[in-house]
Amino acid sequence: SGKTYDLSELKALLEQEPTDTDAAEELKEKLEEWQETVQLQYEELLRNQKAEKLKIEYTYETTVLEGQLAEVTYLETTSELEETLQAAKDALSDAEDIKEQLEAMTGGILTAEQSGYVASVAYEEGDTFYPTADILTFYDTSDVTLSIEVPQENIAEIAVGDAVSVDLGQYGTYEGRITEKMLEASEGNSRTEVTYAVTITAENTQGRLSAGISAEIEIETNADQEEKGDE
């Protein structure tokens, strides 16, 4: 509520009608005093009015800010709940994967979907299973791939599908095929010795082919087959 002032005395002075010069001079002095008083009161009212306006604006801005903060808090809480829900779903999915792996055991035996050779085992007796680690790793070695480098003067004679003989010496000879032929030269070659990578896939039904074994490769090109046909 705004401040009020009693102006009844001033009103009474304004209604007076001096009868002589002395009375007029006295009335003039009183009115001049009231003029200064009213000016001060008016300035005070302006200050109070401005302060009240600032108070109203502050209250409004504070209310708006509180609303914005409430919205931010809501969004942060919603985001945290969504992250928690997603984490719970991921944990459930991992648990279901582990359950499937455990259910695949018969009498404590893990059964693979296909035949192969065990390469590594990640757990020992008494260990706890973790969803991020494989129980064991195995490879299907019925077919193996070998990579060789073929000189540029011979690469044009070789094509995907050509028959290959893989000689392992005392381990015997295996048959295979060219399954990939790179069209770009291998990196690290010198200017005088340019080679191209060729991939060979060979049957390994007996499981004798493995990494690190040396072998001699003989490729039967289409030209060789044509020469045999002419004979």
Side-chain angles (χ1 to χ4, degrees):
S1 60
K3 186 175 181 180
T4 59
Y5 299 95
D6 185 5
L7 301 178
S8 58
E9 183 179 349
L10 175 60
K11 184 178 181 182
L13 289 175
L14 292 173
E15 293 177 351
Q16 289 183 12
E17 295 182 1
T19 57
D20 53 37
T21 303
D22 293 337
E25 187 65 28
E26 182 181 358
L27 178 60
K28 177 184 176 184
E29 292 177 358
K30 290 183 178 180
L31 288 174
E32 288 177 348
E33 291 177 0
W34 265 104
Q35 181 182 13
E36 183 178 354
T37 300
V38 169
Q39 181 67 31
L40 293 175
Q41 292 175 349
Y42 175 73
E43 292 175 355
E44 184 179 6
L45 285 172
L46 289 179
R47 289 194 298 270
N48 291 341
Q49 184 183 28
K50 184 176 181 180
E52 185 68 21
K53 181 180 180 181
L54 291 175
K55 179 180 178 182
I56 293 173
E57 291 178 351
Y58 171 78
T59 303
Y60 170 76
E61 292 175 356
T62 302
T63 303
V64 172
L65 180 60
E66 289 175 350
Q68 292 175 342
L69 291 175
E71 182 178 0
V72 171
T73 302
Y74 168 77
L75 293 175
E76 290 179 349
T77 303
T78 302
S79 177
E80 291 175 357
L81 290 174
E82 290 177 350
E83 292 177 358
T84 303
L85 178 60
Q86 185 59 47
K89 290 181 178 179
D90 294 341
L92 177 60
S93 177
D94 293 338
E96 289 175 347
D97 291 341
I98 295 176
K99 179 183 177 183
E100 290 178 1
Q101 294 176 5
L102 294 176
E103 289 177 345
M105 294 184 182
T106 303
I109 299 175
L110 280 174
T111 303
E113 296 179 354
Q114 61 187 46
S115 300
Y117 291 87
V118 174
S120 64
V121 180
Y123 294 92
E124 296 181 355
E125 183 178 355
D127 288 345
T128 302
F129 284 146
Y130 292 95
T132 56
D134 295 330
I135 297 175
L136 59 84
T137 304
F138 73 98
Y139 298 102
D140 177 12
T141 57
S142 58
D143 290 323
V144 296
T145 58
L146 304 87
S147 180
I148 63 173
E149 294 292 329
V150 178
Q152 63 177 347
E153 56 267 22
N154 302 119
I155 192 65
E157 303 173 4
I158 297 174
V160 173
D162 286 349
V164 177
S165 176
V166 181
D167 186 0
L168 295 178
Q170 62 177 334
Y171 296 108
T173 302
Y174 295 81
E175 301 300 324
R177 294 279 179 183
I178 301 290
T179 53
E180 187 177 11
K181 168 185 168 182
M182 299 303 295
L183 300 179
E184 295 183 0
S186 301
E187 295 182 0
N189 288 326
S190 65
R191 294 183 178 180
T192 57
E193 297 182 2
V194 179
T195 61
Y196 293 79
V198 172
T199 301
I200 298 169
T201 300
E203 295 181 358
N204 187 35
T205 54
Q206 297 179 3
R208 292 182 177 179
L209 294 176
S210 61
I213 294 180
S214 298
E216 290 186 5
I217 307 297
E218 182 179 345
I219 303 174
E220 184 177 350
T221 65
N222 290 332
D224 295 333
Q225 295 177 2
E226 290 175 359
E227 289 180 1
K228 290 181 178 179
D230 292 340
E231 292 177 358

